[in-house]
Amino acid sequence: MSTLGTRMLIDGALVRSGTHRTYDDVNPATEEAFCAVPDADATDVERAIGAARRAFDTTDWSTNVELRRRCLVQLRDALLAASEELRPLIVAETGSPVMLTYRIQLDEPIRYIDHYIGLLDSYEFESRLPVKAIHGRPTGRVVRREAAGVVAAITPWNYPFYLNICKVAAALAAGCTVVLKPAPDTPIAGLALGEIAAAHTDIPAGVLNVVTTSDNNVAQILGTHPDVDAVSLTGSTATGRRVMAAAADTVKRVTLELGGKSAALMLDDADLQGILPSLVTGLCAHAGQGCASLTRLLVSRARYDEAVGIVADALPRVAWGDPTDPANLMGPVVNARQRDSILRYYESAHRDGRVVAGGKPQTRFDKGYYVEPTLIADIDPKAAVAQQEIFGPAMVVLPYEDEQDALRIADSTIYGLSGAVFSADLDRAMALARRFRTGTVGVNGGSWFDVESPFGGYKQSGLGREWGIEGLEDFLEVKTIAYPAAG
């Protein structure tokens, strides 16, 4: 196994923990440790914050657009060159099927850096408003968009490399300095990013720092430290609430991409046989560990039994098992805690509804944190499995009476991250999509997942947006400068 991803990046140096502590990175397919990574303590994290603060305050990183662009090009090219070394590491620590590393888990995020490189060629960080008489005096005004400052980027374990790139590339393009703290379960995706940046780019010391820790108390320093200006978190809604509370004392800017319980709404004229098997495939990719996964299927009561039958037929066809096998769509979930949480939801589904397929502890493998793809029917829309984010390969099918009832059920959770509408009538589907209380909606299979499309949630699915122009602007402050102008 490669030695890439075993050192933290602090103030331009690749280092171990100051106390030489390490913890094991465990392969969820084998339940065995395959690598020891640095386990940062409070002093390490404070050094990283201090380095980011110094780099922001004393270098020209925040104002030198050409330098930032050059460094992002260098980072993209270096990651492309290292991709075949990174691929098995990502599979080993996430349990993700290797097929997904050719898409969202690795290859696509590297190319997504081009989005911010392009914005640095075109974005107006300074603009002028027309001269205007204000209080009787001709006044000119300059509107500047300036880097927010030191950013704490906190990422989860489901798509770690993608999410590290998403936050780091945007913050660096905006002119911020960064302390990246990857999830404890997937440290290598962050550590390798730091090592590659240190070795192959002109990013100044302190601009990008990467720290890994197994101690939540140490990680919490990032949300409370007065030298951190902004926090960008992807994680559960419960974690997002804690981050918001921690940031409140210093009124930090907070960007949150949180949980989801997204609904796929099948109107009564939808082609269920043509659509539902692909929804099952999407649900089971990476064992359902996706915040925007379509986990609730809403169908008209007249077609409810038909839909349940189609999904029940499709689930056994999902290829799952060894994530290194290119044929498999689904591997294990990330750890024993996540597996046990999913199994508790399956138990509640047996009590509160009907488990049509799956729903039992898997017996196919002696090792690995595997769970069965599962279909749940005949459940109250207010039941836990229909309201809470399971984060596993489970689909709940819910009947509705009419379009208004369908919208009521779709919007009945605390979440509003994503959704989908399917109909033979595009105008009818579009009209319903506009009424969803959610940040993204796919209509008739249309994909919103693209670097030019802003992504984020309504309600308790988050604050702010990633990608698009909005993803850059979430890391910018706005300043207005007024001056006397000739009348």
Side-chain angles (χ1 to χ4, degrees), residues 2-52:
S2 168
T3 58
L4 187 64
T6 57
R7 292 174 294 174
M8 300 188 294
L9 176 60
I10 299 178
D11 204 9
L14 297 174
V15 299
R16 313 291 183 184
S17 169
T19 58
H20 302 287
R21 296 190 312 180
T22 63
Y23 70 95
D24 289 336
D25 196 358
V26 174
N27 185 326
T30 65
E31 303 183 38
E32 297 174 354
F34 70 94
C35 182
V37 297
D39 196 0
D41 64 6
T43 300
D44 296 320
V45 173
E46 288 172 356
R47 283 177 54 222
I49 294 171

Side-chain angles (χ1 to χ4, degrees), residues 382-448:
K382 296 181 180 178
V385 295
Q387 288 284 312
Q388 298 173 15
E389 186 176 45
I390 298 173
F391 226 58
M395 179 174 284
V396 178
V397 185
L398 301 167
Y400 65 83
E401 302 301 332
D402 54 27
E403 289 184 8
Q404 190 60 36
D405 187 45
L407 283 169
R408 179 189 62 79
I409 295 170
D411 289 336
S412 67
T413 74
I414 64 171
Y415 302 108
L417 189 59
S418 194
V421 185
F422 294 86
S423 172
D425 184 336
L426 178 61
D427 290 340
R428 184 183 175 201
M430 289 292 292
L432 279 173
R434 290 186 175 97
R435 297 172 65 189
F436 267 41
R437 291 280 297 159
T438 186
T440 55
V441 186
V443 173
N444 287 349
S447 179
W448 47 262

Side-chain angles (χ1 to χ4, degrees), residues 45-99:
V45 173
E46 288 172 356
R47 283 177 54 222
I49 294 171
R53 182 80 268 163
R54 176 197 55 75
F56 186 81
D57 292 342
T58 66
T59 75
D60 70 344
W61 178 258
S62 67
T63 57
N64 192 334
V65 175
E66 180 50 41
L67 173 61
R68 301 202 303 268
R69 186 189 186 284
R70 182 172 80 246
C71 288
L72 286 176
V73 169
Q74 292 169 337
L75 181 61
R76 177 203 62 196
D77 292 347
L79 290 171
L80 283 171
S83 59
E84 293 311 313
E85 189 176 1
L86 288 165
R87 201 176 310 280
L89 295 173
I90 290 171
V91 173
E93 72 172 0
T94 64
S96 170
V98 68
M99 71 160 64

Side-chain angles (χ1 to χ4, degrees), residues 137-296:
R137 186 177 187 182
T139 303
R141 291 156 293 164
V142 172
V143 178
R144 288 178 52 79
R145 287 168 172 81
E146 302 177 344
V150 175
V151 172
I154 304 170
T155 55
W157 41 256
N158 57 335
Y159 292 95
F161 186 82
Y162 160 77
L163 288 159
N164 293 339
I165 291 294
C166 177
K167 296 183 187 304
V168 167
L172 294 181
C176 296
T177 58
V178 180
V179 179
L180 170 64
K181 203 289 292 180
D185 293 286
T186 52
I188 289 178
L191 294 172
L193 176 61
E195 290 184 16
I196 290 168
H200 299 288
T201 77
D202 296 326
I203 295 174
V207 167
L208 175 62
N209 306 271
V210 183
V211 293
T212 51
T213 181
S214 64
D215 187 340
N216 284 335
N217 291 324
V218 171
Q220 287 172 7
I221 295 170
L222 291 166
T224 59
H225 200 288
D227 282 341
V228 173
D229 299 295
V231 179
S232 179
L233 166 82
T234 297
S236 70
T237 295
T239 301
R241 294 185 192 116
R242 291 194 293 271
V243 167
M244 284 188 73
D249 284 348
T250 49
V251 197
K252 300 184 192 307
R253 295 168 63 95
V254 177
T255 299
L256 303 173
E257 194 269 283
L258 306 177
K261 191 70 174 177
S262 302
L265 171 53
M266 302 287 144
L267 294 180
D268 51 16
D269 60 355
D271 177 11
L272 300 186
Q273 190 64 59
I275 296 166
L276 295 186
S278 65
L279 293 190
V280 169
T281 298
L283 171 76
C284 292
H286 194 26
Q289 297 172 114
C291 55
S293 296
L294 297 170
T295 56
R296 291 182 298 153

